[in-house]
Amino acid sequence: MIRFIIVIVLAIAAFWCYNNFNFEKISNDVQTTLKNEKTVKAVNYERSSNYQTEQDAINNEN
């Protein structure tokens, strides 16, 4: 009986969260935060720099 009550309470809590939280906004906020992370920016800059160097080498540009 206690397990049944726990399952009911969890279902009600999940339903309440689903209706009261904007998960799309939370997802967008997380993505924006990760994009603005300095480490991510540094890695992306390094990748683009390496890519450009490789393209210059392929095209025989010095």
Side-chain angles (χ1 to χ4, degrees):
M1 183 68 180
I2 292 177
R3 290 182 189 158
F4 181 73
I5 293 172
I6 291 173
V7 169
I8 296 296
V9 169
L10 287 176
I12 293 170
F15 181 75
W16 183 84
C17 288
Y18 179 77
N19 287 321
N20 290 311
F21 286 104
N22 186 352
F23 292 106
E24 185 177 340
K25 181 183 181 299
I26 293 169
S27 173
N28 289 338
D29 290 347
V30 168
Q31 288 176 0
T32 302
T33 301
L34 291 175
K35 286 179 185 176
N36 292 336
E37 184 68 36
K38 289 182 180 181
T39 304
V40 173
K41 284 184 176 180
V43 169
N44 288 340
Y45 175 76
E46 187 67 27
R47 285 183 183 162
S48 66
S49 175
N50 290 343
Y51 177 77
Q52 188 60 43
T53 304
E54 292 168 0
Q55 291 301 313
D56 290 347
I58 291 171
N59 296 328
N60 292 325
E61 297 175 5
N62 292 333

